[in-house]
Amino acid sequence: MRIDILTLFPEMFGPFLSTSIPKRAAEKGLVEYQLTNFRDFATDAHLSVDDKPFGGGPGMIMMCQTVFDAVAAAEMQGPQDPHPRMATRILLSPQGQKFDQAMAQQFATQERLLLIAGRYEGFDQRIVEGLQPSEVSIGDYVLSGGELAAMVVIDAVVRLLPGALGAEDGAADETFADGLLEHPQYTRPREYRGMSVPDVLLSGNHAAIAAWRLEQRKKRTAERRPDLWSAYQDRQKK
Ligand code: 6GU
């Protein structure tokens, strides 16, 4: 997979892409990252990438030309094969569809992703019309820009690429793969400040452990996430 990231702040991505699983996936050749700065495509003396909204209002709007040119330049780069020239384009925006595990799984099947992270009050609507990206939000709160959202999407996607997770990282059948939250986990010591590890986990009885864990997952999901719990129950009925 090739992932292009378009941003005004490429320096935000350095530590993220060179740490842990995103880094190891690149080292294993599963993914290649390419950063592009919109500013490099500015054409005026001030290197403008934004302008005031028509009709008035607060804040500044990402303008068309730098974004269209940056996308065209990024998609021209990179090997044609196996990467198709046009990427699956993702524009990070609070107006987007809410990101979830199913979306991460769909993106993980693509050869080429291109993430557009903006600052300011948003994008000129003709960017959305002209580039036809998937508009993605990571939740109902306001960030100062799309960069953190882009990192969230990249992290969730890259760990799904076959071979990205070592055995010690656990498999992809964790929370949300089957729609239940995770069960509680314990490690040494067996007792800490008067708190003990549940006996069943020390029993060596694998069937009993699996049954306990499933019960815990259901209990947690029912208590904490009624939305996930009803969806799970609906699926069990089918
Ligand atoms: Cl994708 N961008 C911004 N600026 N804020 C957000 C977001 C994205 N998702 C949630 N909040």
Side-chain angles (χ1 to χ4, degrees):
M1 173 182 281
R2 174 178 161 118
I3 301 182
D4 280 279
I5 305 156
L6 278 56
T7 171
L8 287 168
F9 297 103
E11 66 274 17
M12 285 181 72
F13 291 83
F16 165 66
L17 295 176
S18 52
T19 305
S20 188
I21 287 166
K23 174 193 186 179
R24 293 220 318 270
E27 285 171 351
K28 290 178 183 168
L30 304 175
V31 61
E32 162 195 341
Y33 309 109
Q34 189 63 52
L35 286 154
T36 297
N37 192 333
F38 295 119
R39 191 82 61 191
D40 294 342
F41 296 86
T43 49
D44 67 350
H46 298 102
L47 301 182
S48 309
V49 293
D50 59 333
D51 208 337
K52 295 186 294 256
F54 279 123
M60 300 288 274
I61 307 299
M62 298 279 292
M63 55 204 265
C64 287
Q65 174 259 317
T66 41
V67 177
F68 274 84
D69 288 356
V71 169
E75 288 187 356
M76 283 289 287
Q77 290 168 19
Q80 277 261 51
D81 188 32
H83 305 286
R85 187 140 271 187
M86 203 212 267
T88 295
R89 298 164 173 170
I90 301 166
L91 186 144
L92 288 314
S93 153
Q95 275 66 244
Q97 190 186 334
K98 185 130 23 122
F99 188 59
D100 63 12
Q101 192 64 20
M103 214 189 282
Q105 273 158 356
Q106 203 276 324
F107 289 151
T109 66
Q110 306 298 302
E111 289 289 346
R112 185 156 191 187
L113 301 180
L114 181 142
L115 294 113
I116 304 170
R119 286 269 147 177
Y120 316 121
E121 283 302 302
F123 294 88
D124 187 305
Q125 186 58 28
R126 292 165 295 187
I127 292 167
V128 177
E129 279 167 30
L131 297 176
Q132 299 269 303
S134 301
E135 289 183 86
V136 173
S137 163
I138 61 164
D140 294 337
Y141 38 81
V142 181
L143 302 171
S144 309
E147 288 81 9
L148 286 168
M151 287 187 242
V152 166
V153 171
I154 292 167
D155 190 85
V157 168
V158 163
R159 63 201 308 290
L160 292 175
L161 299 178
L165 296 186
E168 71 277 15
D169 302 313
D173 69 347
E174 355 178 323
T175 300
F176 296 125
D178 62 3
L180 290 177
L181 300 181
E182 272 293 79
H183 50 78
Q185 298 271 28
Y186 298 86
T187 187
R188 291 187 302 169
R190 287 179 176 211
E191 186 157 321
Y192 184 73
R193 298 193 179 185
M195 298 178 283
S196 306
V197 175
D199 285 335
V200 62
L201 298 179
L202 311 171
S203 68
N205 182 339
H206 296 295
I209 292 171
W212 181 84
R213 285 180 167 166
L214 182 59
E215 270 324 294
Q216 293 290 317
R217 299 184 68 201
K218 290 180 180 172
K219 182 165 168 281
R220 272 193 175 181
T221 307
E223 283 169 8
R224 302 179 184 191
R225 293 294 302 273
D227 57 327
L228 294 180
W229 181 238
S230 356
Y232 176 81
Q233 288 175 304
D234 289 348
R235 277 198 306 279
Q236 297 302 106
K237 277 180 214 141
K238 287 197 194 125

